[in-house]
Amino acid sequence: SYELTQPPSVSVSPGQTARITCSGDALPKQYAYWYQQKPGQAPVLVIYKDSERPSGIPERFSGSSSGTTVTLTISGVQAEDEADYYCQSADSSGTYRWVFGGGTKLTVL
Amino acid sequence: EVQLVQSGAEVKKPGESLKISCKGSGYSFTSYWIGWVRQMPGKGLEWMGIIYPGDSDTRYSPSFQGQVTISADKSISTAYLQWSSLKASDTAMYYCARQSPGEYYFDYWGQGTLVTVSS
């Protein structure tokens, strides 16, 4: 079955840049999406179609793609960015099944 | 305003059945896929499956096929997730979410329904 792999944790100091990666064999053929989830809340989309930012999401959130890896970058990290981040994509085999990465806990030191 | 409102928390015993709901409002319910996502305690998000209320076309993750049933009643703009025989391992938060039209992501989420299965 299709899998997306993320690092379990990333730590940065306030004002620094955080980069969270997501790897998957189908990523060259399928877009990736990123969600932020804070404790006790439903996930919120922060990046769609690899690098597009929904309205209302701060400019410090950006996304990029290279081969089988996509990256969520948070520039000038703020304390409020501490959360779990999940990548998500779709199976490219035509079965219309989606998958989430295992999630990355971003800690702001 | 688009809203997905889920039914309240449930406490059940192993072997019992359960059906939780997700009511959509503020948009054309029959025109958007609705998906279900599981989050076990302290764990990540898992895509369970998705339904198109317009014609009840349903797709399941292999991990959940045969374990749950996803359905919808378009007359009352409500999607459902049901179990015929719960297990302790079904204890989790369950979210419904709307698929963005023509895209492969969720743009609106319900508030979640906590299901606890314990003897």
Side-chain angles (χ1 to χ4, degrees):
Chain A
S1 61
Y2 182 42
E3 292 184 356
L4 297 174
T5 301
Q6 299 181 234
S9 62
V10 168
S11 299
V12 295
S13 299
Q16 290 190 327
T17 296
R19 294 180 179 84
I20 300 172
T21 59
C22 172
S23 299
D25 290 342
L27 290 178
K29 299 186 286 285
Q30 293 287 350
Y31 286 121
Y33 310 91
W34 290 94
Y35 301 88
Q36 175 194 69
Q37 187 182 33
K38 296 182 178 179
Q41 297 182 19
V44 172
L45 183 77
V46 294
I47 293 290
Y48 66 100
K49 292 172 77 170
D50 291 348
S51 59
E52 300 293 321
R53 194 173 52 250
S55 60
I57 299 302
E59 291 184 8
R60 63 180 180 274
F61 288 86
S62 64
S64 61
S65 176
S66 179
T68 59
T69 299
V70 294
T71 302
L72 172 68
T73 300
I74 310 171
S75 305
V77 166
Q78 300 182 6
E80 67 199 51
D81 300 328
E82 184 163 290
D84 294 322
Y85 291 85
Y86 296 90
C87 61
Q88 176 248 303
S89 189
D91 191 325
S92 63
S93 66
T95 57
Y96 200 93
R97 290 170 181 153
W98 303 6
V99 64
F100 287 98
T104 299
K105 169 67 176 177
L106 174 65
T107 300
V108 181
L109 301 170
Chain B
E1 177 194 9
V2 174
Q3 284 192 313
L4 296 172
V5 178
Q6 298 185 230
S7 50
E10 301 274 1
V11 179
K12 303 294 262 185
K13 290 182 167 44
E16 292 186 331
S17 63
L18 175 65
K19 192 174 190 177
I20 62 174
S21 66
C22 169
K23 183 173 177 59
S25 63
Y27 73 99
S28 175
F29 184 76
T30 54
S31 301
Y32 294 77
W33 292 81
I34 291 283
W36 288 93
V37 176
R38 183 175 80 174
Q39 187 166 38
M40 299 176 75
K43 302 298 184 183
L45 305 175
E46 299 174 270
W47 188 84
M48 301 177 71
I50 201 162
I51 187 167
Y52 189 75
D55 61 7
S56 292
D57 186 4
T58 309
R59 315 292 174 89
Y60 293 92
S61 162
S63 300
F64 293 94
Q65 180 88 46
Q67 307 304 308
V68 298
T69 301
I70 294 171
S71 61
D73 185 341
K74 59 186 179 183
S75 69
I76 55 172
S77 301
T78 301
Y80 301 97
L81 177 66
Q82 69 180 88
W83 296 259
S84 58
S85 180
L86 286 161
K87 302 184 284 288
S89 58
D90 292 318
T91 295
M93 181 71 81
Y94 293 89
Y95 292 101
C96 66
R98 191 188 81 164
Q99 180 186 343
S100 180
E103 304 290 348
Y104 291 105
Y105 66 88
F106 293 125
D107 57 0
Y108 289 91
W109 293 68
Q111 82 277 20
T113 295
L114 180 62
V115 174
T116 303
V117 183
S118 175
S119 55

